[in-house]
């Protein structure tokens, strides 16, 4: 089963990479970019069924991929 | 207009972060993960029309966000 996890910064938290990209784009003359956001996406292929895959990937996302103080994650199934 | 750019490693190129996650998950007892891939996603909000937005984001993706020797990117419109 293939599962996708999207990790992003919480709405009220600064995204340092996005801010740096936006600043540099502006310096390089790309002044029409009003906002930049970044996400990190992880795609997992497991040998478990749907229920166990979601349980395991959920634990991994919470414990390893995300810092819950500043980030949130979203899990979705891509294919069986 | 909101545009999303997904940057990932080319199929035949090693993804060092994915390999390291997979190795660590295995050490932590998550042995049912057969494969990990990672992507970086950038979301841009521009004050241009669709044609100019795609042109500008395309240039930015090619010149700044992607290393074409090892990565590829995909651009899509999210909303007006």
């Amino acid at each position: 089963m293939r599962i996708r996890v999207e990790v992003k910064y919480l709405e009220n938290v600064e995204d340092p990479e996005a801010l740096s990209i936006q600043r540099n784009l502006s310096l390089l003359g790309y002044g029409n970019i009003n906002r930049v956001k970044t996400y990190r996406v992880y795609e997992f292929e497991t040998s478990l069924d749907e229920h166990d895959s979601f349980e395991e990937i959920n634990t991994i996302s919470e414990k390893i991929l995300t810092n819950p103080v500043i980030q949130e994650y979203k899990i979705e199934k891509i294919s069986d």
Side-chain angles (χ1 to χ4, degrees), chain A:
Chain A
M1 161 161 290
R2 286 171 64 207
I3 288 185
R4 172 190 168 99
V5 180
E6 199 173 277
V7 177
K8 61 177 172 184
Y9 286 92
L10 291 167
E11 212 42 66
N12 56 339
V13 172
E14 272 195 355
D15 175 344
E17 191 185 354
L19 289 174
S20 144
I21 290 171
Q22 197 170 349
R23 206 171 304 122
N24 287 320
L25 288 179
S26 167
L27 290 172
L28 291 166
Y30 300 105
N32 298 304
I33 310 296
N34 302 326
R35 197 171 176 205
V36 183
K37 281 189 198 176
T38 68
Y39 306 76
R40 187 154 273 292
V41 178
Y42 303 91
E43 218 182 280
F44 295 96
E45 222 175 281
T46 78
S47 47
L48 300 166
D49 66 17
E50 181 154 352
H51 175 268
D52 290 352
S53 289
F54 268 84
E55 204 170 88
E56 187 147 321
I57 302 292
N58 213 37
T59 310
I60 290 169
S61 301
E62 259 179 46
K63 294 201 177 159
I64 298 167
L65 304 179
T66 311
N67 176 351
V69 177
I70 53 168
Q71 292 169 317
E72 62 185 349
Y73 66 92
K74 199 175 72 184
I75 299 184
E76 61 189 20
K77 177 179 161 181
I78 305 174
S79 67
D80 283 322

